[in-house]
Amino acid sequence: YKIYGEKIIFDDASFGIQKGDKIGIVGINGTGKSTLLKMIAGEETPDKGQIIKQNGLKLAYVPQNPVFSEDSTIRSYALKKGEENWKVESNLTELNITRFDQKIEHLSGGQKKRVVLAKILSDDFDVLLLDEPTNHLDLDAIAWLEEFLINFENTVIVVSHDRYFLNKVCTQIADIDYGKIKLYAGNYDFWYESSQLLIRQMKEANKKKEEKIKELQEFISRFSAN
């Protein structure tokens, strides 16, 4: 359960995550997609209920708009792990970031996102949380990220409006609606077809209900006239 002001974001919402799941979180703006990621990452807490995690679970979180220290350079931000630097440098180079002494504040939005991804994806973790990771990225960087996630053996939970990215990467879709979370097996297209079928079924059920009400009203009118 999570509430902001007078707006209930989640109300008795729950779903389970297993190792190796690649879950795409979808829902209209304001439904709580980013909030859910923050709660899983531990940056926010539920107002009621809890996020249950396996002991020792290591999470990596890439927010939609990363914040950097003032005057940070690519080198001071991403290359401060000593002997582990080679993996970060390799990622940066593959993402076309080669001048490590540039100040991050002078980079474009896409370059900043690539620096964050290069750093975080060089580490070892059990669960990767990504909030709109393809925002500002060019096609080559998106392809690189897709390849990484497809080959990643652990768990991925991603918020994205990029249906092509979700189709390529995800094996499940978590749909947030009316404060609930419903999990669908399959990629974005499978979820979309399933949700459209459900909408058609609901409309048909409502139509039949309205027809029965109309028939009853007509019967009552005839009975009253007699």
Side-chain angles (χ1 to χ4, degrees), residues 109-150:
Q111 289 172 321
K112 289 177 181 177
K113 185 64 70 72
R114 281 182 274 162
V115 170
V116 173
L117 289 169
K119 176 184 177 181
I120 290 180
L121 300 189
S122 70
D123 207 349
D124 294 320
F125 43 82
D126 304 301
V127 180
L128 176 61
L129 307 170
L130 300 170
D131 194 351
E132 298 289 359
T134 63
N135 279 8
H136 309 298
L137 292 186
D138 59 25
L139 292 178
D140 288 340
I142 292 174
W144 180 90
L145 179 59
E146 288 173 345
E147 188 69 18
F148 176 91
L149 296 178
I150 289 168

